[in-house]
Amino acid sequence: MPVRTPPLPEDPAAPAAPGAPGGVYRAIAAADAASLAAALHALPDFPHTAAGTTAVVCEPPDTDPATLVARLRAAGQAAEAAGLVGIGAAVPAPEDLPASLAQARFALACAAGAPGGVAAADELDTLSRLLPGIPAEVRDIYATRLLRPLGEGPLRATLEAFLAHDCSWSRTAEALGVHVNTVHYRIERIEALTDRDLTRLPDRLDLYTALCCAGGRA
């Protein structure tokens, strides 16, 4: 049975779906009540209900799916101090709104670096967009667990270069200015220290994600 995300503490109840048949529904989550009010002000023709820092809007029939996101981003970019807003995916019926609300709250956590301070859940299509929604404390402990054994010296630099160059031994050696045998030795050490096998895609992804969580770019 799927777990349904409960309302945030400041929201005693999630907003009910607005009574506007014929369209699709989206949940919106904002950093604060003022940011939510500003977002809804940019959508005067979208029926909505709101509670606390979340809202549900109904996109009228035949509305371009990009309209809502574009309007909120334009409003955010025009504001002197734009608030952060997350938008859930469109759902066809009110009973599907818990999923959209959970997505909106996750997108809100990713909104700091998004255009106009607005992040849409259905645009979270890369790891770099997805990771900011994971609490920093969780990202930090994940990166520390995997990367601490490597230290901050040549092993860490070799791992970054190796993944950045699609695990090519020769290109990694060229990028680092070392002999290819040195790269082989360092990768063997990395595998031993992290208990990962860099010939396996899942293990490569583990370490790549750890580097991203640590703020590095592979």
Side-chain angles (χ1 to χ4, degrees):
M1 186 176 198
V3 177
R4 301 227 161 166
T5 304
L8 291 172
E10 66 267 30
D11 297 338
V24 295
Y25 301 91
R26 282 183 187 262
I28 296 176
D32 50 54
S35 298
L36 182 64
L40 295 176
H41 183 73
L43 305 170
D45 50 337
F46 283 57
H48 67 269
T49 58
T53 58
T54 59
V56 172
V57 299
C58 180
E59 296 182 5
D62 302 320
T63 301
D64 185 330
T67 297
L68 184 147
V69 176
R71 283 199 198 175
L72 294 187
R73 284 197 171 135
Q77 290 167 340
E80 292 184 5
L84 301 180
V85 175
I87 306 170
V91 294
E95 56 265 28
D96 300 318
L97 279 168
S100 185
L101 183 57
Q103 293 162 0
R105 287 169 171 158
F106 188 89
L108 174 61
C110 303
V118 176
D122 44 16
E123 292 179 347
L124 300 178
D125 55 1
T126 65
L127 184 63
S128 61
R129 289 181 175 179
L130 188 68
L131 283 178
I134 298 172
E137 297 82 359
V138 176
R139 298 197 306 269
D140 288 346
I141 194 64
Y142 179 82
T144 298
R145 171 69 180 85
L146 269 70
L147 300 178
R148 176 183 285 167
L150 306 183
E152 296 292 337
L155 292 182
R156 171 80 169 261
T158 299
L159 176 62
E160 292 178 353
F162 189 64
L163 295 176
H165 291 88
D166 302 318
C167 302
S168 166
W169 302 100
S170 59
R171 286 192 289 142
T172 300
E174 182 179 356
L176 295 173
V178 300
H179 193 277
V180 69
N181 287 347
T182 301
V183 177
H184 278 278
Y185 169 75
R186 289 179 182 175
I187 293 300
E188 288 175 0
R189 289 287 298 142
I190 290 167
E191 290 178 328
L193 290 169
T194 62
D195 194 27
R196 297 297 191 278
D197 178 353
L198 285 168
T199 66
R200 299 183 64 252
L201 179 59
D203 289 358
R204 291 180 188 178
L205 290 175
D206 284 348
L207 292 171
Y208 176 80
T209 303
L211 289 170
C212 291
C213 286
R217 283 189 173 273

